Amino acid sequence: MTIVDNVRTIPNQVLSQGNIFSEMILVASKLDFLLPITPIQQILLLLKFDWDTESLKNSLQEYADTNSFLLENGVCPENTVSVINNSECAICCSTENLLGLRCQHMACLNCWSKYLATKITSNQCLLRCMEFGCGMLISNEILGKFIFSSKLKVAHWGLLKDSYINSDSSLAWCNKKCGMAVRRSNCDTVTCSCGSKFCFLCNSDAHHPATCRQFQLWKEQRSNPDGMALSWILSNTRECPRCFVPIEKNGGCNHMKCTGCRHEYCWNCSQDWRTHFGGCKQPDINVAQTKLNSRANSDVFARYVSRFDHHKKCLEQEQQIRSSISNISGIKFRKTLDECRRTLMYTYVFGYYLKNGMYTSIFEKHQQNLEIAVGKLVSQWNVRHPGKIETQQIERRVWELVGNCSTLRKTLLDHCAKGAEHENLGGRQPNRELKRVVTPQATTNTVENVTPGTYDSVGFCIDIIFVIILIGVGYCLWSCIIF
């Protein structure tokens, strides 16, 4: 549960396609003093070593000369294509000019084009000679002599960039697929230049303060009301430590590689495989994280979903209204209200996966305070009447409410930061404690009606029966003592 509200948040960096390519060239240039090859060939070699320059340098030290190292890893320093005129192709048996790499495995241009097109369309960026068992690699410089489709060339460049982004744990593509990449700073919630704000770890829309695991379980439970699919996922899978995608292990060793983010880790202890030394340290696994609590009450979940949807609807309506606001006070109001609405949305996800107790009671009180403050802020903003005498007073009141909302939001998030030990992934259980009954509003121009301290009817009846029994027992004891 990563929360950094007490730490100064550093803005994340957004990389364009050109920025990404420049970084790739910069990384490749670090090999200039070791390998006398072109930058494209350096990128090809880094691609084979998963962009791990240290691993490449260590491997290079095992060879007497650089040429032997390059040829052993399928990179030809000359970077040429051999041509044989009017010869029979061993694949399609047609008589044409044959092309081949240094390995001298020859084929016609049509066969090369089809082979490479198949590889690229199947998302393989490391292209090799078509001869079975041959490890000679095909660089982008040579690729242009085998295929002429601009779409395939662009697609291959995209695969190269994908490999670079996936190899760097601090980089991720924008979740809205706008073509930009984002470098994380010290916060898991990042913002792209297109306006998308998303979670760096799971690539979903920003869901702070809910954790990635909580948000995934929330979505699963919403899509599977009976809970059967969710129960199977919790019992038979474990999430990737990097992207939190559920993974099932049906055999083999503990060395796992996520097909989504390509992170390599140990199945038992979830440690990065590159630093997995000295044996495996099996952690204590919380049973609540692997099994669904069968006692979860669907009514409780429905109530939390209702509040989540209410704030989501308010957020959408308010975004349409605020799109015309351009003055300074309006921009501040818009930013604060947007942050508070999003926070309230996902506190219902966070709150659903908490154990009943004192921590949760305090959390709900902070949540309630922020809801009331947001309702007052919206109401005060909507009663402004530009041009009248009281406008300045109302404007001052809006600024006070904006500051109050920001303070209450920070207080709520600070409390959420301490919630890891109070987590219950089985979901909230129904109890007879005091509950808050919140009446959803259809619009955003009124204060939200939050009525704390209301007993549910079943709990009230049980309490009455319990009191009557106690009175009866007391009367019997009193009678025995007197007589």
Side-chain angles (χ1 to χ4, degrees), residues 8 23 86 119 215 255 294 328 431 447 452:
R8 181 176 178 273
E23 283 201 5
N86 297 323
K119 292 293 183 181
F215 189 47
H255 183 186
S294 59
I328 297 177
N431 59 18
V447 180

Side-chain angles (χ1 to χ4, degrees), residues 19-286:
N19 296 142
I20 297 169
F21 180 69
S22 297
E23 283 201 5
M24 292 167 63
I25 295 296
L26 182 62
V27 173
S29 66
K30 297 178 182 178
L31 304 176
D32 286 342
F33 67 99
L34 294 174
L35 300 170
I37 52 179
T38 66
I40 300 300
Q41 289 176 317
Q42 291 171 346
I43 289 176
L44 183 65
L45 200 55
L46 284 168
L47 186 63
K48 185 174 181 182
F49 283 86
D50 292 325
W51 295 91
D52 189 344
T53 55
E54 292 302 319
S55 177
L56 190 153
K57 290 177 182 178
N58 293 336
S59 179
L60 178 60
Q61 293 175 358
E62 300 174 3
Y63 291 84
D65 59 274
T66 56
N67 282 339
S68 300
F69 170 75
L70 292 173
L71 291 175
E72 182 67 24
N73 286 281
V75 177
C76 178
E78 290 83 10
N79 204 32
T80 57
V81 175
S82 302
V83 180
I84 299 178
N85 296 323
N86 297 323
S87 184
E88 183 178 309
C89 176
I91 297 175
C92 66
C93 299
S94 61
T95 302
E96 295 185 27
N97 293 340
L98 303 184
L99 307 176
L101 308 174
R102 181 188 170 112
C103 56
Q104 296 299 309
H105 296 132
M106 313 300 288
C108 67
L109 181 61
N110 187 46
C111 289
W112 274 112
S113 298
K114 290 181 179 179
Y115 163 75
L116 293 172
T118 301
K119 292 293 183 181
I120 294 172
T121 53
S122 60
N123 296 328
Q124 295 186 33
C125 58
L126 194 61
L127 305 176
R128 292 183 171 89
C129 172
M130 69 169 67
E131 181 71 18
F132 180 77
C134 181
M136 190 62 65
L137 301 178
I138 301 174
S139 68
N140 265 51
E141 296 167 324
I142 295 179
L143 183 65
K145 300 178 181 180
F146 289 136
I147 60 174
F148 301 101
S149 170
S150 58
K151 287 186 177 181
L152 287 175
K153 292 178 182 178
V154 171
H156 186 250
W157 267 115
L159 294 174
L160 289 176
K161 293 171 184 175
D162 275 340
S163 70
Y164 176 71
I165 296 296
N166 292 330
S167 70
D168 191 336
S169 59
S170 67
L171 288 174
W173 290 111
C174 172
N175 70 331
K176 300 302 183 185
K177 303 186 184 302
C178 68
M180 297 292 186
V182 177
R183 173 170 279 117
R184 179 175 58 171
S185 54
N186 64 341
C187 183
D188 292 337
T189 299
V190 293
T191 305
C192 181
S193 57
C194 70
S196 173
K197 184 177 289 189
F198 64 98
C199 174
F200 184 88
L201 298 176
C202 66
N203 215 37
S204 302
D205 289 340
H207 50 72
H208 182 64
T211 65
C212 298
R213 186 61 168 159
Q214 290 171 349
F215 189 47
Q216 285 186 349
L217 293 178
W218 175 272
K219 291 188 293 184
E220 287 288 343
Q221 193 158 344
R222 289 201 70 169
S223 60
N224 300 282
D226 56 358
M228 294 180 62
L230 178 59
S231 179
W232 186 93
I233 289 173
L234 289 171
S235 301
N236 297 279
T237 68
R238 296 181 189 176
E239 65 271 18
C240 167
R242 180 179 173 186
C243 68
F244 297 94
V245 170
I247 296 175
E248 179 189 12
K249 182 176 182 291
N250 56 13
C253 66
N254 289 323
H255 183 186
M256 305 293 291
K257 184 174 182 179
C258 177
T259 56
C261 66
R262 301 182 185 178
H263 177 61
E264 297 184 45
Y265 65 97
C266 173
W267 174 260
N268 281 337
C269 64
S270 299
Q271 187 177 353
D272 192 321
W273 193 258
R274 292 177 294 182
T275 58
H276 189 264
F277 306 113
C280 180
K281 298 179 181 179
Q282 175 72 27
D284 295 329
I285 300 177
N286 190 347

Side-chain angles (χ1 to χ4, degrees), residues 289-302:
Q289 294 183 2
T290 57
K291 293 183 179 181
L292 179 68
N293 189 336
S294 59
R295 298 176 300 162
N297 190 303
S298 59
D299 292 338
V300 175
F301 182 69

Side-chain angles (χ1 to χ4, degrees), residues 301-361:
F301 182 69
R303 186 166 66 250
Y304 279 80
V305 169
S306 174
R307 294 304 301 154
F308 177 91
D309 290 343
H310 165 66
H311 285 294
K312 184 177 181 180
K313 181 180 179 181
C314 289
L315 178 64
E316 293 170 351
Q317 292 175 344
E318 289 161 357
Q319 283 177 338
Q320 295 176 359
I321 297 172
R322 297 195 304 267
S323 60
S324 59
I325 298 175
S326 58
N327 60 329
I328 297 177
S329 61
I331 293 173
K332 177 67 175 177
F333 161 79
R334 179 175 60 187
K335 181 176 181 295
T336 302
L337 186 57
D338 183 87
E339 290 175 345
C340 291
R341 282 292 185 197
R342 291 182 186 278
T343 298
L344 286 171
M345 274 176 58
Y346 292 104
T347 53
Y348 279 96
V349 179
F350 176 85
Y352 178 71
Y353 295 104
L354 289 177
K355 301 173 185 176
N356 293 325
M358 181 62 69
Y359 173 86
T360 303
S361 299

